[in-house]
Amino acid sequence: AAVIVATVRALKMHGGGPPVSAGKPLQKEYTEENVELLAKGCCNLQKHIENAKKFGVNVVVAVNKFKTDTDNEIETVKKAAMEAGAFDAVLSNHWAEGGAGAEDL
C-alpha cells in the first residue's frame, strides 16, 4: 500500500487559492472554512490516487490536520479520496496529539 499525505491548505492552493509566502501571514482562504475552494483542489489528490491504482497499489490517504481546518473540510477531503478509490482516508493529528494522533493511520 501507499500512503498519500494531504493537507487542506495544499488542496486549497491546487483549487486556485492565493500564493503562500514564507514569513507572511496566511490569507483568509487558508484560515477560514472554504469548502468550495478545497473541493476544486481535490482533483489533484484524486489523480494521485488514480495513478497509484493503475499500478495495483492500494492507497491510504492521511489527512494532516492543522488547527484552522474544519470538520467539513476534513470530511470533504476524505470523501474525495474514497470516491477516487482510496482504500481508506484517515485523519492524522499527530502534530497535536503525538503518537495517539496517528493511531488510525
Side-chain angles (χ1 to χ4, degrees), residues 4 42-57 59 80-81 83-86:
I4 296 176
C42 282
C43 63
N44 181 276
L45 171 63
Q46 291 174 317
K47 188 63 178 175
H48 285 294
I49 294 166
E50 292 168 10
N51 286 341
K53 291 185 65 61
K54 285 179 183 177
F55 294 95
V57 177
V59 175
E83 287 175 355

Side-chain angles (χ1 to χ4, degrees), residues 11-20 29-30 37:
L11 293 172
K12 284 180 175 180
M13 289 179 72
H14 288 297
V20 173
E29 288 84 355
Y30 301 111
L37 181 62

Side-chain angles (χ1 to χ4, degrees), residues 2 5 28 33 36 38 45-46 50 52 60 70 75 100 102:
V5 179
K28 67 179 175 78
E33 182 175 89
E36 183 179 339
L38 172 63
L45 171 63
Q46 291 174 317
E50 292 168 10
V60 174
T70 67
E75 288 307 312

